[in-house]
Amino acid sequence: MRKYLSSLMYSAIILAFFSWEYSIYLQLALASLTIFGLIWGVARSDIRFNVIIQPYSLMMLLLVIWAFTSIFWVADRTSWIISNGILAVTLIYGVSLSWLIREKLFRQHLSLVIIGIMIVHHVIGWFEVLSNQQYGAAERWSFDWLRQLHNPMLFFGNINDFALLCFFGLIFMMCWHPLDDKLRDMDGQYFSGFRTFENYSKTKTLALVSFKLLMTVSSLLLIYFANARGILFAAAYAMVFYLILHIKSAWLRRIVILFLGFICLVTVLMVYTDILDALWQDGSFVIRYNLIRNGWHHLKGSHYLGVGAGNTEYYMEHFNYYYTGGYRVMHNWWMGMLVEYGLPFFILYGVYHARVFLYAYYLAVKYDSQTGKWVATWLLGFIVAGFIPNTLFNFVWFWFIHNFVFVWFEYRLSTMELTDRALGLEFKLHYKLNQFSEWLDRKLVKEL
C-alpha cells in the first residue's frame, strides 16, 4: 500500500510542476486512485486516523467545505467547479502525504524529487536567458520562436510564478543536506532532507557545498532575470533572516533584529518620497493597487463572505470600478484569498500561518532545529512573495509546496519530545486529535 501511494504521489508532483492545459484531468485521475488507496489502507488498518488527521488537514478540510458551500452565491459555476476540484485534489494529496512522510525512505526520495524538479527548471530557465540578448528585460518574451520552446512560461504561464518557484528552491537548497544514516540531524533525530556535513569526506563535502552554492546563486540570478523585483526583495530579507537564526545568543539575535529594523525604517523614511514617486510612475504597481481596490469593493459587496471559489476573475471582468489594464486576476495571493473565501477563512488561515511560523521560529532558536529554520524562513519570505505572483489558487504545483511545507513541519513537531510550556497548547491539540482518531478507529473496527 505504501509503495502504491508513494508512486502516485511522485507522479502527481512531477505532473504538477510540468503541467499543461489539460493536465488537471490526469491530476483528478491520480487523486481518485489515491482516495482508493487511502480507503483500502484504513480498511486494512494500515493507515490510522491519528496519523492523517492533523491541524493542516483539518484547515484544508474546512477550506474545501467552505468552497463547496459558496455554490449558493457564486456567479460563475464553471470556475467554481474547477477551483473546488483543485482544492479537493490538494486535500487528498495532503492527507496521503501526512501518512507517507513518516517513512524515512519516502522523505529521502521526496527531497530528491523536489531537487530534481528544481534542477530541470533551472536548466530550462538558463536556456531561455542565454538564448536571448535582452537579459532580464520584458522584451525577451516577444520572440515568437522562443515561445515555442520549453521555457518557464510553458509550465507556469507567468514569470512571477516561475520566480516564486525559484524562491522556494532557494530557501530549500539553503537548508537541504543529503541523507546519511550515520549522521543525526540538527534536531537530534534521523530525519532525511536536512542534515549536517559532519564526518563527511572532504571530496563529498566539497561537492555538496558546491552544489548547494551553485543552486542558491542560480536561483537568485533567475529571479533577477525574470524581473520579479518583489520576489527578489523577499529572497534578500529571507536570506538575512535565515542567517540571523544561526546566531546562538538570544540577546545578540534580538539586538541584530532591532538594529536591522531600525536601519530599514530610517532608510524608508529618508527616501519615502522618492520611493512613492517611483511606484506611482510604475504602471504595474498602479494596476496592482487598483486590483486590490476592486477586490475590496467585491468583498464588501459579498458581506465579507467572499465572492466564492474561483469567482474573482468573473467579478473583475464584469464589475471593474478602477482601471486595471484589462487584467482580471488579482495578482496577489493574500488579497485573492480574502476576496474569494471571505474574511472568516482568511482569519483562520492567517492564524494557522502565524501559528506554524511562531512554532518554527521557537524550535529554530530554542533547539537549533534546521527544520524550524527552513519553515520559518519560507513562511516569513512568503508574506512578501505572496503579493507578487499572477494567481496561485488554480495551480496544483503551488498547493504541493503548501502541502510539503506544512505537512513536513506537522510531522516534525509531532515527533519531538518537548515539555516546554510554550508548546503546551500544541500538545493538547494533538492529544485531542489522537483521542478522536482512536475513537474513530474503534468505531470502524466494530462496524467491520
Side-chain angles (χ1 to χ4, degrees), residues 73 290-308 311-322 324 327-330 335-336 338-343:
W73 63 83
N290 286 339
L291 284 170
I292 292 176
R293 296 170 73 190
N294 284 334
W296 185 251
H297 272 280
H298 302 325
L299 179 65
K300 290 193 296 184
S302 68
H303 304 289
Y304 299 97
L305 296 179
V307 298
N311 270 239
T312 302
E313 293 186 33
Y314 176 88
Y315 279 86
M316 288 293 182
E317 180 179 1
H318 293 85
F319 306 99
N320 197 352
Y321 299 99
Y322 302 99
T324 59
Y327 287 94
R328 301 182 305 161
V329 181
M330 186 61 70
M335 195 65 189
L338 178 60
V339 174
E340 281 203 3
Y341 301 107
L343 189 61

Side-chain angles (χ1 to χ4, degrees), residues 339-376:
V339 174
E340 281 203 3
Y341 301 107
L343 189 61
F345 183 81
F346 182 81
I347 294 175
L348 174 64
Y349 179 84
V351 169
Y352 178 79
H353 188 105
R355 159 196 170 275
V356 175
F357 170 76
L358 292 175
Y359 285 147
Y361 178 80
Y362 178 78
L363 295 181
V365 299
K366 178 74 173 182
Y367 296 94
D368 197 27
S369 166
Q370 188 71 359
T371 306
K373 294 174 184 177
W374 167 56
V375 174

